[in-house]
């Protein structure tokens, strides 16, 4: 992997400190999943982009991997209180998929879905940022299955539950809808520097 873009300084937009309030830095990378790690079959896997778009998309694993990708160094903040600095993720920017599908003007919100029936939602403007990636590699290696391999979303400007592991769908919504943890009391907005943990 050649060019690595460092986006670890995005915290300047949200707060003074790289480590958000109430977080502690860890060098470990704990695994947090609501249920186990789902099976991935590259032959039947299908990624869909649906909802308020001009052209709905359906991509095989091979087609997804052929999309243009970037590598970024990012931080990772878990709502349970740990942060991990300098994670190197390689993948497709959310904006690339949004452009290919042609997001309609009435889209305001986004729902991500995953192989383990997890969902999470974000306002559209929070997704249309360069650091929101659909990533398949971590520190130059294939993304481990426990961490969401083959494909996961990363959202370094939000608590990490906003990043769906095993992601296989993006739906553009004209009205906000809550995802899995958001229905269970976690924050809709999830800004780590404002400690938006619960709703
Ligand atoms: N599909 C799916 N994505 C998920 C989860 C999950 O249970 N299923 N857990 C979320 C939560 S609560 C966190 S903190 C991060 C954890 O990512 P990690 O296991 O790679 O540390 O994934 C998020 N994405
Ligand atoms: Mo979490």
């Amino acid at each position: 992997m050649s060019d690595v873009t460092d986006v670890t300084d995005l915290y300047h937009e949200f707060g003074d400190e790289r480590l958000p309030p109430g977080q502690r830095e860890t060098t470990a990378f704990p695994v947090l999943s609501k249920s186990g790690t789902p099976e991935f079959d590259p032959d039947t896997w299908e990624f869909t982009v649906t909802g308020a778009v001009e052209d709905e998309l359906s991509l095989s694993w091979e087609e997804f991997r052929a999309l243009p990708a970037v590598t970024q160094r990012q931080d990772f903040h878990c709502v349970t209180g740990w942060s991990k600095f300098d994670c190197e993720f390689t993948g497709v920017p959310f904006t690339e998929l949004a452009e290919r599908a042609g997001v309609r003007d009435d889209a305001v919100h986004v729902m991500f879905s995953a192989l383990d029936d997890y969902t999470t939602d974000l306002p559209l403007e929070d997704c249309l940022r360069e650091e929101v990636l659909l990533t398949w590699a971590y520190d130059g290696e294939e993304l481990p299955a426990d961490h969401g391999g083959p494909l996961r979303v990363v959202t370094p400007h939000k608590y990490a539950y906003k990043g769906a592991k095993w992601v296989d769908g993006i739906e553009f919504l004209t009205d906000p809808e809550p995802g899995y943890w958001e229905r269970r009391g976690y924050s809709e907005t999830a800004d780590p520097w404002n400690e938006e943990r619960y709703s």
Side-chain angles (χ1 to χ4, degrees), residues 167-181:
V167 65
D168 69 348
I170 297 174
E171 185 182 1
F172 289 88
L173 304 173
T174 53
D175 287 301
E177 273 175 41
Y180 181 87
W181 283 121

Side-chain angles (χ1 to χ4, degrees), residues 11 13 17 46 96 103 105 115 120 128-129 134 144 165:
Y11 68 89
E13 190 182 333
E17 301 285 339
E46 186 191 26
E96 177 76 35
V103 180
D105 289 346
L115 296 177
T120 188
L128 294 174
R129 296 177 55 103
L134 290 91
K165 304 198 281 188

